Amino acid sequence: MDLSIGEVSKRSGLSVHALRFYEKEGLFANPIRRTPGGQRIYREEDLQWLASCARLRSSGMSLAAIRRYVELMRQGPGNEHERLALLHDHEKRVEAQIHELHECLDVIRYKVKAYAEYVARTQAGELRDPTPPDAEADCHRAAPAGPSTG
């Protein structure tokens, strides 16, 4: 089934401008066909690729890396080890991001707990000193020292 750029925009959630940009940058797995009048014609496979491409982008893969991956796909069989290496490198970066986010979440959870306890004690009239828990101390107790703990 052929799709117009407007239909692809609606179904993919990408703007018409973004779709043109992706095409110009060589980010589609297959070349986009055109009508004799020059209008773009998309296929269901293009939508499926856009969904994968959007996941790669939202996970932090650079346009250059996606472009390289597409180039390798278009070359066909014989370069699977290069595709695997590219995806494996990205997988390592995403795993590192997830690890860092887990550390951030630990700090946030610690702070939520500390402030929830403080608020509960304050509301119960147990505290005379209205000073909330020390933010810096919270941070350093919640996670090992590092660049993303503050």
Side-chain angles (χ1 to χ4, degrees):
M1 175 175 150
D2 291 344
L3 303 164
S4 71
I5 196 168
E7 291 168 323
V8 172
S9 175
K10 286 178 190 169
R11 288 181 56 186
S12 69
L14 295 170
S15 69
V16 169
H17 176 75
L19 293 170
R20 289 180 182 135
F21 175 79
Y22 274 41
E23 181 184 7
K24 184 181 107 187
E25 292 295 313
L27 302 179
F28 276 94
N30 297 304
I32 302 303
R33 298 175 303 139
R34 293 193 182 246
T35 66
Q39 293 179 323
R40 291 167 177 83
I41 303 172
Y42 297 88
R43 299 182 196 131
E44 287 294 326
E45 304 88 60
D46 297 321
L47 275 171
Q48 293 168 5
W49 169 249
L50 281 171
S52 296
C53 192
R55 290 286 181 208
L56 293 173
R57 280 297 293 146
S58 67
S59 68
M61 185 179 269
S62 69
L63 291 177
I66 295 172
R67 188 178 308 110
R68 178 66 184 143
Y69 183 72
V70 168
E71 289 168 359
L72 292 169
M73 287 175 30
R74 285 183 178 179
Q75 290 172 11
N79 60 26
E80 290 82 3
H81 62 286
E82 289 178 69
R83 293 184 225 180
L84 178 60
L86 192 148
L87 291 171
H88 188 65
D89 288 346
H90 185 61
E91 178 184 40
K92 286 180 186 177
R93 284 190 296 276
V94 170
E95 286 173 348
Q97 290 172 342
I98 290 170
H99 178 76
E100 184 174 341
L101 285 172
H102 278 292
E103 289 180 352
C104 293
L105 187 57
D106 288 344
V107 170
I108 293 165
R109 284 180 175 152
Y110 180 85
K111 288 179 175 290
V112 165
K113 181 180 177 198
Y115 278 95
E117 289 171 358
Y118 172 82
V119 167
R121 288 192 314 267
T122 302
Q123 290 174 345
E126 295 176 17
L127 294 178
R128 291 190 181 151
D129 179 11
T131 307
D134 178 59
E136 286 303 312
D138 291 350
C139 233
H140 296 293
R141 282 192 299 251
S148 63
T149 60

